[in-house]
Amino acid sequence: MNPEYSIGWDIGGAHVKVAILHGHRLIEVTQHPCPLWLGISRLEELIDRILARVPVPRTGHAVTMTGESADSFSTRDDGVRRILEVLGARIDSKSLYVFAGNEGLLVFNRLSSGHYSKIASANWLASAVYTASAVDTAVLIDIGSTTTDVLLVKSGKVLANGFSDYERLVSGELVYTGVVRTPIAALAKQVQFEGERVPLMAELFATMADVYRLTGELPEDYDQWPPADGAEKTPEASARRLARMIGRDLRSASLASWTRLADYCRELQLREIQDSVMRCLSRLDSSDRPMLVGAGIGRFLAVDLGVRTGLEFRDYSSITGFAAVPGAAECAPAVAVARLLAMRFQC
């Protein structure tokens, strides 16, 4: 089947991202909250809602995932299997393709359990493969709500040191920090505030979403999760949650002081990501001239990293040719697998 529409799915543990191509033209990208740790039924309900509104005739589907690591699954293989079962029950198996790492897109009905380890948490590679087809040498940084991927591309190839989550954590290519869901307590043991070094409470009082609401950088369309206390998402409410992290109340300092604390937390996160970027750059020759490609809802941090490292910054949406489509950079893996599927059938 040569599909008229190609739909890319990136199924995570907290969000499902969907990209729709008509031919080779990207027409829509969406992100949907999906707490997969609460059970597979959450994914079933969401996929049913999405499929009810997407094109049906001559449509191909390409899937990548990270959701297999959710708490609701006993093992990663079990997670891959059950997510694939949900998709296979709803999409014609001859129209469904699954991204299996270096093996690329595989037809659903030819998959075996031997492919599960290659399918698990491979969405980063889909984005990197597509980046490698568009630029020669680059560091791709995809900063999402929960994690950050840092990948090296050289001579049109992805030079990854790790492929499993474990290997990528060790290599520094997976940095477990993001701009929405990461707890403040995961940044450091202590922070600077009002001239003092103050230990952080090991509590889920506040997340990085509170930091970026205070700095004004969190895109409203992607601020989809309730705060830690279930209250408002205003700067004042975010400052109140941040104050609790150091045993204070909102009114004990000015909003400007809490914003400075948010700036300090931002810097801590940026330095952690920068460390992985520098580790990645150290693998290049002095003659290489890489660019820095930024993706994800937190790519505003990648812009800063471009300045700090002296690298030319390019937005992921611009290298894919989809700069005019909202969400193209925020949902890079979904766009990548949709595009890879369309390219598969290119005449």
Side-chain angles (χ1 to χ4, degrees), residues 56-85:
V56 176
R58 294 181 63 81
T59 297
H61 298 259
V63 180
T64 188
M65 68 179 72
T66 59
E68 77 287 335
S69 61
D71 293 341
S72 51
F73 305 124
S74 59
T75 65
R76 292 172 185 269
D77 278 3
D78 176 54
V80 171
R81 177 184 62 80
R82 293 177 65 190
I83 290 171
L84 291 179
E85 286 176 351

Side-chain angles (χ1 to χ4, degrees), residues 225-293:
W225 283 97
D229 61 359
E232 300 88 356
K233 297 180 180 180
T234 61
E236 291 77 12
S238 289
R240 183 177 65 248
R241 288 185 286 269
L242 195 56
R244 287 177 181 157
M245 291 301 305
I246 59 171
R248 299 275 292 266
D249 290 323
L250 173 63
R251 292 184 180 180
S252 69
S254 66
L255 185 60
S257 292
W258 299 122
T259 302
R260 282 194 292 272
L261 178 55
D263 289 336
Y264 184 83
C265 293
R266 181 191 195 275
E267 180 65 20
L268 290 174
Q269 187 172 56
L270 187 60
R271 287 179 186 177
E272 183 178 8
I273 298 170
Q274 183 176 356
D275 183 64
S276 287
V277 172
M278 299 307 295
R279 185 174 174 180
C280 194
L281 288 172
S282 71
R283 297 167 56 197
L284 292 173
D285 298 327
S286 59
S287 59
D288 290 320
R289 294 292 180 265
M291 66 177 60
L292 191 150
V293 177

Side-chain angles (χ1 to χ4, degrees), residues 84-328:
L84 291 179
E85 286 176 351
V86 169
L87 292 162
R90 290 160 171 79
I91 298 172
D92 183 351
S93 62
K94 291 177 290 191
S95 307
L96 180 58
Y97 296 79
V98 180
F99 186 74
N102 285 328
E103 292 195 35
L105 290 173
L106 302 180
V107 182
F108 175 82
N109 55 17
R110 295 182 183 176
L111 292 175
S112 70
S113 59
H115 293 113
Y116 291 172
S117 63
K118 298 175 182 178
I119 294 169
S121 295
N123 67 345
W124 60 272
L125 186 54
S127 301
V129 166
Y130 190 36
T131 299
S133 72
V135 300
D136 183 74
T137 304
V139 176
L140 170 64
I141 308 177
D142 188 340
I143 305 172
S145 64
T146 310
T147 62
T148 296
D149 298 306
V150 181
L151 283 309
L152 181 62
V153 168
K154 183 176 179 181
S155 302
K157 296 181 179 179
V158 181
L159 303 184
N161 279 333
F163 287 89
S164 69
D165 279 352
Y166 172 79
E167 292 169 343
R168 298 183 64 234
L169 285 167
V170 171
S171 70
E173 292 165 340
L174 171 60
V175 188
Y176 226 91
T177 192
V179 298
V180 176
R181 299 182 64 240
T182 298
I184 299 297
L187 292 178
K189 290 291 186 182
Q190 53 190 4
V191 293
Q192 291 280 2
F193 187 71
E194 294 183 336
E196 302 286 345
R197 292 196 65 80
V198 188
L200 285 171
M201 290 186 172
E203 295 278 3
L204 186 55
F205 286 143
T207 66
M208 290 306 293
D210 292 308
V211 165
Y212 294 114
R213 291 187 198 106
L214 281 166
T215 65
E217 295 171 295
L218 182 61
E220 188 175 346
D221 289 346
Y222 293 91
D223 187 3
Q224 296 180 326
W225 283 97
D229 61 359
E232 300 88 356
K233 297 180 180 180
T234 61
E236 291 77 12
S238 289
R240 183 177 65 248
R241 288 185 286 269
L242 195 56
R244 287 177 181 157
M245 291 301 305
I246 59 171
R248 299 275 292 266
D249 290 323
L250 173 63
R251 292 184 180 180
S252 69
S254 66
L255 185 60
S257 292
W258 299 122
T259 302
R260 282 194 292 272
L261 178 55
D263 289 336
Y264 184 83
C265 293
R266 181 191 195 275
E267 180 65 20
L268 290 174
Q269 187 172 56
L270 187 60
R271 287 179 186 177
E272 183 178 8
I273 298 170
Q274 183 176 356
D275 183 64
S276 287
V277 172
M278 299 307 295
R279 185 174 174 180
C280 194
L281 288 172
S282 71
R283 297 167 56 197
L284 292 173
D285 298 327
S286 59
S287 59
D288 290 320
R289 294 292 180 265
M291 66 177 60
L292 191 150
V293 177
I297 64 172
R299 67 190 183 283
F300 52 84
L301 295 176
V303 175
D304 284 2
L305 290 171
V307 174
R308 293 188 180 196
T309 58
L311 300 181
E312 175 193 357
F313 175 82
R314 293 283 301 279
D315 194 275
Y316 181 84
S317 63
S318 70
I319 69 162
T320 60
F322 299 136
V325 183

